[in-house]
């Protein structure tokens, strides 16, 4: 025997599965949104720490035992290292729009291998060379200092090229990503003795001739977490709207038929 309650239960049964799926999806979207907000807070704290750390007294550059533990929090750390420069230079293409020194525009950063007193080798960014520099001035600028030196500068983690990164110009050794391992391989350096970072020299190491122009590190962090959070929350709101529209279409026609 049927009752009037049975037809009324039809729309509810039809909505049970979509409702369950919508709830699960909503929870996932909200969790992703709040996770991005947590990442935003972490990134903002990291940026403040980096900006404060740049001006701090330099600490010893990480030795091989600590290389595996390096992470984003170590980027831009003010470090010091002692040793001697080795022959060879790799170039990283860049363009300075707001330089600390007098030279700006397109050009390259000159990376030279530096053998530390402990025996491992690090690539040192000696500074900026503007595009179109006369050959004699360029050759003069690329002459590496001789003898034992103590250098200070900012630690920069190696970059991993992605599919948008142009291939390096191996004929002139110009790179479009700060890939220290690949640079070191072309320079004939032992990969086991090369850390996953380079060092950008402080401005004080700019030679008397003015080139390479040191101290031109661009301090920047990719911080898209707020945008990602808004995207996830927007999708969550859209999901709620779509489900309510669907539910109304299931319930109200049925209600009109029973009137």
């Amino acid at each position: 025997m049927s009752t009037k309650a049975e037809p009324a239960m039809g729309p509810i049964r039809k909505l049970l599965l979509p409702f369950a799926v919508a709830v699960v999806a909503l929870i996932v979207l909200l969790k992703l949104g709040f996770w991005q907000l947590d990442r935003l807070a972490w990134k903002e704290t990291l940026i403040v720490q980096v900006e404060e750390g740049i001006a701090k007294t330099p600490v010893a550059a990480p030795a091989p035992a600590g290389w595996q533990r390096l992470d984003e929090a170590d980027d831009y750390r003010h470090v010091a290292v002692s040793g001697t420069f080795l022959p060879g230079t790799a170039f990283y293409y860049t363009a300075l729009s707001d330089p600390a020194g007098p030279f700006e525009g397109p050009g390259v950063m000159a990376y030279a291998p530096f053998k530390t007193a402990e025996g491992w080798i690090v690539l040192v960014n000696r500074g900026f060379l503007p595009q179109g520099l006369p050959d004699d001035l360029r050759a003069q600028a690329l002459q590496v200092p001789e003898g034992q030196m103590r250098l200070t500068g900012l630690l920069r983690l190696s970059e991993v090229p992605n599919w948008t990164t142009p291939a390096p110009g191996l004929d002139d050794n110009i790179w479009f990503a700060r890939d220290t391992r690949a640079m070191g391989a072309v320079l004939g350096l032992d990969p086991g003795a090369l850390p996953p970072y380079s060092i950008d020299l402080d401005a004080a190491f700019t030679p008397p001739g003015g080139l390479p122009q040191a101290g031109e590190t661009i301090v920047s962090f990719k911080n898209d977490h707020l945008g990602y959070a808004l995207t996830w929350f927007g999708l969550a709101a859209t999901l709620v709207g779509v489900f309510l529209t669907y539910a109304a279409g299931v319930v109200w026609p049925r209600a009109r038929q029973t009137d």
Side-chain angles (χ1 to χ4, degrees), residues 12-173:
I12 296 177
R13 291 195 187 98
K14 190 173 182 180
L15 290 173
L16 285 178
L17 180 59
F19 176 76
V21 172
V23 167
V24 172
L26 181 63
I27 292 173
V28 171
L29 291 172
L30 291 176
K31 280 185 173 293
L32 288 171
F34 285 115
W35 177 71
Q36 287 294 340
L37 289 181
D38 289 339
R39 292 285 294 174
L40 174 64
W42 170 81
K43 182 62 69 68
E44 289 177 342
T45 300
L46 176 62
I47 291 172
V48 171
Q49 291 175 347
V50 165
E51 291 176 345
E52 293 176 347
I54 288 174
K56 289 183 178 180
T57 301
V59 298
W67 292 350
Q68 294 297 324
R69 296 191 296 271
L70 294 175
D71 59 24
E72 194 173 3
D74 296 292
D75 214 8
Y76 299 101
R77 187 196 301 180
H78 202 195
V79 297
V81 64
S82 296
T84 56
F85 277 105
L86 299 176
T89 305
F91 302 100
Y92 171 55
Y93 182 82
T94 189
L96 296 182
S97 58
D98 187 22
F103 296 98
E104 61 181 342
V108 294
M109 296 292 188
Y111 284 74
F114 187 81
K115 186 173 183 179
T116 67
E118 294 80 15
W120 48 277
I121 300 170
V122 61
L123 287 179
V124 171
N125 174 11
R126 298 184 58 218
F128 177 71
L129 297 175
Q131 187 172 296
L133 196 64
D135 291 343
D136 57 337
L137 293 181
R138 182 182 176 88
Q140 180 181 351
L142 292 178
Q143 291 179 358
V144 295
E146 297 181 354
Q148 289 283 333
M149 301 185 66
R150 181 180 184 271
L151 306 178
T152 61
L154 300 181
L155 182 152
R156 297 304 325 277
L157 296 176
S158 179
E159 292 180 337
V160 178
N162 57 38
W163 65 273
T164 65
T165 306
L170 298 181
D171 292 338
D172 44 16
N173 212 6

Side-chain angles (χ1 to χ4, degrees), residues 67 86 113 119-123 180-181 183-195:
W67 292 350
L86 299 176
W120 48 277
I121 300 170
V122 61
L123 287 179
T180 57
R181 183 170 296 276
M183 288 179 177
V186 171
L187 293 174
L189 304 178
D190 178 7
L194 196 67

Side-chain angles (χ1 to χ4, degrees), residues 32-34 36-37 224-234:
L32 288 171
F34 285 115
Q36 287 294 340
L37 289 181
D224 297 331
H225 299 297
L226 179 59
Y228 292 147
L230 292 177
T231 297
W232 292 122
F233 290 140

